[in-house]
Amino acid sequence: MTPRVVVVGAGIVGCSLADELTARGWTDVTVLEQGPLPAPGGSTSHAPGLVFRTGPSRTLTRFAAYTVEKFSSLDVDGVPCFEPIGGLELATTPERLADLHRRAGFAASWGVPGEVVSAARCKELWPLLDESMVLGGFHTPGDGLARAVLACRAQMDRAVARGARFLDRHTVTGVEREDGRVTGVHTDRGFFAADHVVSAAGFWGPVVGRMAGVDVPLQPLAHQYARTRPLPELSGATSEATRPILRFQDADLYFREHGDRIGIGSYAHRPLPVDPFAVPAYDAARAAGREMPSSYPFTEEDWAPSWAECRRLLPALRGTEIESGFNGVFSFTPDGMPVLGESRELRGFWLAEAVWVTHSAGVARAVAEWMVDGRPSIDVHDCDVTRFEEAQRSQAYVRERGSQQFAEVYDVIHPLQPLEHPRPLRVSPFYTRQQELGAYFLEGGGWERPHWYEANAALVADFGGGGGGGGGGTLGDPGAPGVPGALADLPARDPWAARHWSPVAAAEARVTRERVALYDMTPLRRLEVTGPGALAFLDRLTSNNLRKKPGAVTYTLLLDESGGIRSDLTVARLGPEHFQVGANSPADLDHLLRHAPDDVQIRDITSGTCCVGVWGPLARDLVQPLTGDDFSHEGFGYFRARRTYLGHVPVTALRLSYVGELGWELYTTADLGLRLWDTLWEAGRDLGVIAAGRSAFNSLRLEKGYRAWGTDMTTEDTPYEAGLGFAVRMDKEHFTGQEALRARSEPTRALTPLLLDDPAAVVLGKEPVHLDGVPAGYVTSAAYGYTLGRCIAYAWLPAGLAPGTGVHIEYFGEKLPATVAGEPLFDPGMSRIRR
């Protein structure tokens, strides 16, 4: 007997999910829809259907690629559900043209055919263009138009043939639960029992979520879409569209043909948030004179500037007017990604929300795999419902960040660029001292994170260099001047790489290598795991041996059942039944809580504690005078933990180093954090101590080859592929993923260190890597190695490439030579850490 599934919402996601579930044998599927089928009035019903696959997110690109693949195989009465007319993104500024080269790099990295083309070629593809405005374009021939309502019908028919049922005019009024598990849904037409309930309600997601007591962090916003009157230039059109879907991102506009008319969408207007609880039902919307609930009245005042830009790009529009328009509602999240996964608070209640037509089939497949097989076949950590911190879930935060995501849909976004509001939100106890030192803050997980300190600018000159770089550069700005010095000659950076960077980072890295520096590590997640079953529990869930005496620290991995890396952890055994776990994301806490037995307690202590990393060859000289305990190498070995006092401050000291130098992570409670910082600062004055930021940290950790979960490896990667086999003890009695690892064959791919050949070359991550002239992989992490005098890039490439093998990294269309290197690149004997 298959599980009973109720899907709330028969838009493109709900229909796709019903098809994917029934194809996997879960045939007892009921899809409930409050409006009429097949076009019930949600976002799917008005979607313009543009499918551009390429973007900086590998996950979204893969979702979109599957959507294209699947919809290309579907039709209704001979009408195809997808038209591969191609996509064309235009550049009318040098900055945009550079960004199109970057997007072409994403396409090569993720396996999407595409190329940057000339203005003349753009004119051939779209004859109505004013070619004089265009500098070039990015053409993706496999993109095109999805007929969303037809795709719903096609998938609905397939699901029904396998046993599913679709019930329209059923409004969900409540979600039933028992003992923390969903048991069904109430509607205005009766109760439907269920083992699993999936909210695929689109912008009504928060409404359904509230019924279930589950937070759904999405913000609906209205988006302008208009159609012109018939154009003489398109007269005689015999098909819906023949020219590529067109993006004019410099003006926040897109275009598609509707026979002899042109449809135009605009993101140029002010954000127009919509309260999901105030959106009328289908019949009420119709009674109010609207075509559907998701269609709001067209706001002419918002349209005027966009219409002027449309006529500038497409002169043929100067002789026509807008025939019709509306403001269509669809969903945004604080980070622009979908919200997927099962709620831990209400087991069996799933979310498949904030999904656009572009990604719909791919999302449905991932969620169906998750439900049926226990995990998706691709990594979806950046879509997981658990990814948001508690501080990122307020209605005000979701509204503000969702509105920003709308405004920035077509902006050129640097990979380090943070959203500006609301900030600051989360700060460490050291924040006031960091401000006094001129910290340049970026943001992650709501935390303000110093990337460098202007107080250290004088050190750049001390090392023989000049200033430059930074905070606010654009692609048109000059690069940073060189910073020569004994550590490495620091070359000028191109304007893109100079954004959110400063040569001060090089000086901070050098001080860390030569003296000692303080790093604020407070944002790193800390979990406290206690209880009689704590050791057995953690040892069963992780790959390394945790059965060590109190005082031991172990680097280990959380694996899934297929042997993929869910996360990497640092586990300190502070007592027989007391562990401190250094984790990555809220998903780690969620995973542990889902599996914890009754005799184990888990608590997130991040917000109530803080951490300073004290690293450098003089670290011991700084901390030893502050304590009566022995901090010598013999008395306090590497990967050991101890509770002690530094001055008046009780600390938990872990002898770890993620920068490749002697030192400790020092933890204390948040109320004593400022006292700890001041104690360390005063003790280090005569040693030349500085505060150092994340920019230097990232450079130093890559010189040591330390991986970053979520960037360098995910659930799609095994420990052996990622170079983390040392953290796996196959001789353990049992751990999650052990059997899958035993069954795996030799890796065919490997996370591979590369050094760029040109000392002046810099890449930032996600660039394609070419081997023998063809794309063979992509860069994960990259940073300039100030000690080495070369940019370091880690990349997924075919396994077995010998050190010295030459490759090319494509950066803004230029192929930069690089060489496979052995690792670790710096201090392979670990003598600097173990002294």
Side-chain angles (χ1 to χ4, degrees):
M1 184 174 178
T2 67
R4 299 165 298 175
V5 180
V6 170
V7 179
V8 182
I12 192 65
V13 178
C15 292
S16 298
L17 181 59
D19 183 43
E20 296 288 338
L21 284 171
T22 55
R24 287 165 174 77
W26 281 26
T27 55
D28 190 351
V29 175
T30 301
V31 183
L32 302 175
E33 174 53 60
Q34 65 176 349
L37 293 174
S43 299
T44 300
S45 301
H46 71 247
L50 283 68
V51 178
F52 283 92
R53 290 167 293 173
T54 304
S57 167
R58 183 170 180 253
T59 302
L60 291 187
T61 298
R62 295 166 85 186
F63 284 161
Y66 181 71
T67 300
V68 168
E69 176 188 335
K70 183 177 186 181
F71 289 4
S72 295
S73 69
L74 301 176
D75 70 86
V76 175
D77 299 328
V79 180
C81 293
F82 183 77
E83 288 285 357
I85 56 176
L88 180 62
E89 304 179 44
L90 300 177
T92 60
T93 64
E95 181 181 33
R96 182 67 62 179
L97 184 60
D99 191 59
L100 294 187
H101 281 285
R102 186 171 68 112
R103 291 178 65 77
F106 293 147
S109 289
W110 315 144
V112 177
E115 63 175 337
V116 176
V117 298
S118 67
R121 177 58 177 152
C122 292
K123 179 72 171 179
E124 290 176 10
L125 292 166
W126 252 87
L128 301 187
L129 289 174
D130 178 355
E131 184 182 349
S132 68
M133 288 182 57
V134 179
L135 301 181
F138 176 47
H139 182 219
T140 46
D143 291 340
L145 288 174
R147 294 185 173 94
V149 174
L150 282 189
C152 284
R153 284 182 55 191
Q155 293 177 101
M156 193 184 312
D157 290 345
R158 299 201 318 183
V160 168
R162 301 185 192 111
R165 58 177 175 164
F166 286 74
L167 303 176
D168 63 1
R169 301 291 188 172
H170 282 65
T171 300
V172 173
T173 58
V175 177
E176 191 73 18
R177 75 196 74 192
E178 184 177 337
D179 296 328
R181 184 165 190 92
V182 71
T183 57
V185 298
H186 295 276
T187 75
D188 58 351
R189 299 175 68 175
F191 177 75
F192 293 83
D195 304 300
H196 298 272
V197 173
V198 185
S199 178
F203 56 77
W204 280 294
V207 179
V208 177
R210 181 175 292 183
M211 297 177 195
V214 174
D215 184 36
V216 182
L218 70 80
Q219 174 62 54
L221 287 109
H223 162 60
Q224 290 200 305
Y225 192 79
R227 292 193 193 194
T228 68
R229 297 184 186 280
L231 296 177
E233 292 83 355
L234 300 179
S235 63
T238 58
S239 61
E240 182 180 2
T242 58
R243 295 173 177 86
I245 48 178
L246 185 68
R247 276 173 161 172
F248 178 23
Q249 289 148 304
D250 289 319
D252 295 308
L253 294 166
Y254 63 83
F255 305 84
R256 57 152 293 183
E257 294 171 295
H258 291 279
D260 61 358
R261 294 163 169 82
I262 292 180
I264 307 164
S266 172
Y267 293 99
H269 56 83
R270 62 195 166 92
L272 300 168
V274 172
D275 180 359
F277 294 89
V279 177
Y282 186 90
D283 292 331
R286 297 285 286 184
R290 286 158 50 184
E291 185 177 352
M292 61 186 79
S294 61
S295 175
Y296 276 60
F298 193 64
T299 49
E300 294 282 356
E301 66 277 12
D302 292 311
W303 178 252
S306 292
W307 185 229
E309 289 293 339
C310 294
R311 291 173 152 184
R312 194 164 69 91
L313 180 71
L314 304 176
L317 299 182
R318 297 169 190 170
T320 190
E321 298 296 334
I322 294 301
E323 184 175 70
S324 63
F326 66 97
N327 289 3
V329 182
F330 62 139
S331 303
F332 285 81
T333 59
D335 60 3
M337 299 294 285
V339 178
L340 312 178
E342 183 187 24
S343 166
R344 180 175 45 80
E345 292 82 4
L346 182 58
R347 297 187 306 279
F349 185 82
W350 295 78
L351 296 177
E353 297 290 11
V355 182
W356 295 6
V357 171
T358 299
H359 311 113
S360 55
V363 163
R365 178 175 67 170
V367 174
E369 291 171 337
W370 211 339
M371 295 174 70
V372 175
D373 303 327
R375 58 193 173 276
S377 60
I378 68 171
D379 169 60
V380 296
H381 81 273
D382 49 3
C383 306
D384 196 308
V385 62
T386 63
R387 71 187 182 273
F388 294 112
E389 303 283 350
E390 189 68 24
Q392 297 174 300
R393 290 179 169 272
S394 71
Q395 184 177 355
Y397 184 94
V398 172
R399 179 186 176 97
E400 192 164 356
R401 283 287 169 101
S403 296
Q404 280 186 268
Q405 289 292 338
F406 175 92
E408 295 180 358
V409 161
Y410 282 167
D411 287 1
V412 177
I413 303 294
H414 192 277
L416 292 177
Q417 181 175 326
L419 294 172
E420 291 303 318
H421 306 285
R423 289 181 62 194
L425 183 62
R426 306 176 80 188
V427 298
S428 80
F430 324 130
Y431 184 64
T432 55
R433 296 292 182 264
Q434 293 165 344
Q435 288 179 304
E436 292 165 2
L437 293 170
Y440 182 85
F441 291 100
L442 297 179
E443 187 229 40
W447 288 100
E448 294 297 318
R449 302 185 181 204
H451 272 241
W452 69 83
Y453 295 86
E454 288 299 327
N456 297 326
L459 296 173
V460 177
D462 289 347
F463 293 157
T474 69
L475 283 172
D477 290 343
V483 186
L487 194 67
D489 287 340
L490 190 62
R493 285 204 171 202
D494 70 86
W496 182 256
R499 286 193 189 185
H500 304 295
W501 173 85
S502 168
V504 172
E508 293 177 357
R510 178 172 179 174
V511 170
T512 308
R513 290 275 186 246
E514 295 185 354
R515 300 200 301 253
V516 62
L518 307 184
Y519 288 82
D520 180 4
M521 306 304 289
T522 300
L524 298 182
R525 183 167 303 278
R526 294 171 291 285
L527 309 177
E528 184 181 72
V529 181
T530 58
L535 174 59
F537 165 66
L538 289 172
D539 200 49
R540 173 173 53 85
L541 255 63
T542 64
S543 63
N544 212 337
N545 175 31
L546 301 186
R547 296 184 179 278
K548 303 172 183 176
K549 294 179 180 179
V553 181
T554 306
Y555 177 81
T556 188
L557 304 172
L558 272 180
L559 304 180
D560 65 17
E561 295 292 345
S562 68
I565 304 171
R566 292 187 60 97
S567 188
D568 62 341
L569 309 176
T570 302
V571 181
R573 191 174 189 187
L574 303 180
E577 299 179 358
H578 184 189
F579 295 83
Q580 180 173 304
V581 178
N584 285 296
S585 73
D588 294 342
L589 173 62
D590 181 81
H591 182 69
L592 294 179
L593 287 171
R594 286 177 187 270
H595 292 86
D598 292 340
D599 60 352
V600 174
Q601 294 77 49
I602 303 171
R603 193 164 63 98
D604 189 334
I605 61 173
T606 309
S607 297
T609 57
C610 58
C611 178
V612 182
V614 182
W615 291 311
L618 301 182
R620 184 175 288 117
D621 300 78
L622 194 157
V623 297
Q624 183 63 82
L626 298 173
T627 178
D629 287 322
D630 183 2
F631 269 58
S632 69
H633 182 63
E634 295 74 22
F636 195 156
Y638 190 52
F639 264 77
R640 299 292 297 172
R642 172 179 295 168
R643 287 171 161 172
T644 187
Y645 283 84
L646 295 182
H648 299 93
V649 182
V651 299
T652 299
L654 274 57
R655 190 172 166 196
L656 306 175
S657 175
Y658 289 97
V659 299
E661 297 293 336
L662 170 69
W664 289 265
E665 292 177 0
L666 303 173
Y667 297 89
T668 192
T669 52
D671 60 317
L672 290 167
L674 191 59
R675 183 61 176 263
L676 174 62
W677 181 277
D678 289 345
T679 298
L680 295 168
W681 189 262
E682 187 60 33
R685 282 184 183 275
D686 292 341
L687 302 173
V689 71
I690 64 164
R694 299 289 297 184
S695 186
F697 176 90
N698 198 44
S699 170
L700 296 168
R701 70 108 180 158
L702 280 180
E703 289 183 337
K704 286 297 294 178
Y706 295 142
R707 278 64 166 150
W709 184 85
T711 301
D712 296 317
M713 71 277 193
T714 67
T715 53
E716 294 184 32
D717 313 308
T718 70
Y720 303 114
E721 294 170 331
L724 298 176
F726 67 88
V728 178
R729 288 291 298 272
M730 292 299 290
D731 56 350
K732 282 175 62 171
E733 182 177 349
H734 175 72
F735 62 87
T736 302
Q738 185 180 46
E739 293 307 313
L741 290 181
R742 284 200 177 105
R744 290 222 181 205
S745 56
E746 285 294 312
T748 59
R749 54 197 289 274
L751 189 61
T752 305
L754 306 173
L755 286 175
L756 275 74
D757 295 353
D758 182 354
V762 174
V763 299
L764 301 180
K766 299 187 178 180
E767 296 88 358
V769 181
H770 297 257
L771 178 64
D772 297 328
V774 297
Y778 60 92
V779 173
T780 57
S781 293
Y784 199 86
Y786 301 113
T787 317
L788 305 174
R790 291 287 190 282
C791 182
I792 305 162
Y794 271 77
W796 282 105
L797 290 170
L801 296 182
T805 302
V807 299
H808 287 84
I809 302 175
E810 185 178 337
Y811 180 72
F812 286 93
E814 182 182 359
K815 292 184 173 61
L816 307 177
T819 302
V820 174
E823 62 175 343
L825 301 167
F826 175 77
D827 188 27
M830 303 286 282
S831 61
R832 299 177 71 91
I833 293 178
R834 301 176 186 274
R835 59 181 170 185

